[in-house]
Amino acid sequence: MRVVVLVSGRGSNLQALLDARERLPIELLEVISNRPGVQALHRAEQAGVPATVLDHTGYSSREAFDQALGDHLEALQPDLIVLAGFMRILTPAFVRRFRGRMINLHPSLLPKYPGLHTHQRALDAGDREAGASIHLVTEELDGGPVIMQARVAVQPDDDADRLAARILPLEHQMLLQVVERMARGEIQCRDDQVFLNGERLEHPLALAG
Ligand code: GRF
């Protein structure tokens, strides 16, 4: 499976993929960042994976950036595009162009808390559980069908940072499990739907292990 990873920052999820790529049936074609100088780019370079910067501030509009990003991606012919901490809202036209081929990591138990500050919002709401989701990207922001979720219990002394620190390693595991199962054809995405062994996935999978 030909995989491209889109990043904007730290890249710890990217690192999990880089570390596991030898044992996964995937080819990591390229890492693309919309921000120059971020840690994720160094991680890719260290691992010998091509790293490209497409700086969104150099484009006159969201549409122009998405057009350039889309043209660049299309030339790579990816089977899967992983949004791993990619902090950009994508235009519907871009999403349609790569429909069924993009997954996103989101640090909440979707459909709860799309958008930002998810852990703080879970704490403010008094939730007993928090977590992260991997979903298929559709035109609705953080709204596509959820493929897998990881859950943790909220502790009385949790703050957003502590919660994030407990959830992040689970995100890494989840990403590897989803990518591996997609690469093996067990999980398939068609248009805006997810299938598990040919059956439509009705509920998100739980992180195994
Ligand atoms: C993760 O928490 C992910 O859920 C969110 O952004 C963060 C990215 O972390 N979308 P990293 O850049 O992979 O370390």
Side-chain angles (χ1 to χ4, degrees):
M1 186 167 69
R2 294 168 62 81
V3 180
V4 176
V5 185
L6 303 192
V7 294
S8 301
R10 178 179 55 185
S12 70
N13 281 287
L14 167 66
Q15 189 66 54
L17 266 183
L18 291 169
D19 292 344
R21 73 190 195 280
E22 304 285 312
R23 63 171 182 79
L24 295 178
I26 63 170
E27 190 186 348
L28 263 183
L29 303 171
E30 194 165 306
V31 172
I32 304 172
S33 173
N34 67 309
R35 292 201 185 118
V38 295
Q39 198 185 352
L41 289 165
H42 299 299
R43 294 180 193 269
E45 282 155 15
Q46 287 281 317
V49 172
T52 298
V53 178
L54 273 184
D55 185 346
H56 66 274
T57 63
Y59 293 84
S60 57
S61 65
R62 191 172 289 282
E63 286 71 23
F65 173 75
D66 279 11
Q67 183 68 42
L69 177 62
D71 291 347
H72 185 93
L73 275 169
E74 207 163 87
L76 295 170
Q77 298 187 302
D79 300 309
L80 178 68
I81 299 162
V82 179
L83 310 184
F86 184 64
M87 303 302 284
R88 292 278 305 169
I89 292 176
L90 296 164
T91 55
F94 181 92
V95 175
R96 277 198 296 274
R97 201 165 168 184
F98 299 99
R99 201 172 173 207
R101 282 195 280 166
M102 272 195 290
I103 58 171
N104 181 43
L105 278 152
H106 184 76
S108 80
L109 295 172
L110 289 170
K112 278 188 160 182
Y113 317 126
L116 298 174
H117 311 301
T118 51
H119 299 316
Q120 191 57 53
R121 286 156 71 195
L123 290 170
D124 291 348
D127 291 356
R128 292 173 169 208
E129 272 192 325
S133 307
I134 293 183
H135 67 91
L136 183 63
V137 176
T138 63
E139 289 180 39
E140 191 190 341
L141 178 70
D142 298 327
V146 178
I147 303 171
M148 191 178 281
Q149 287 185 322
R151 295 168 180 273
V152 298
V154 175
Q155 303 298 336
D157 59 346
D158 268 340
D159 58 20
D161 287 345
R162 236 173 280 167
L163 207 45
R166 257 199 343 280
I167 292 170
L168 191 64
L170 303 181
E171 283 190 30
H172 301 160
Q173 291 176 36
M174 214 169 31
L175 179 59
L176 298 186
Q177 289 184 16
V178 168
V179 167
E180 174 160 22
R181 292 172 81 170
M182 289 182 93
R184 297 197 188 286
E186 219 179 287
I187 296 173
Q188 290 185 323
C189 300
R190 276 195 299 280
D191 301 329
D192 286 347
Q193 294 186 347
V194 180
F195 298 84
L196 178 66
N197 297 320
E199 301 282 325
R200 180 147 169 225
L201 187 66
E202 298 290 346
H203 305 287
L205 299 167
L207 172 67

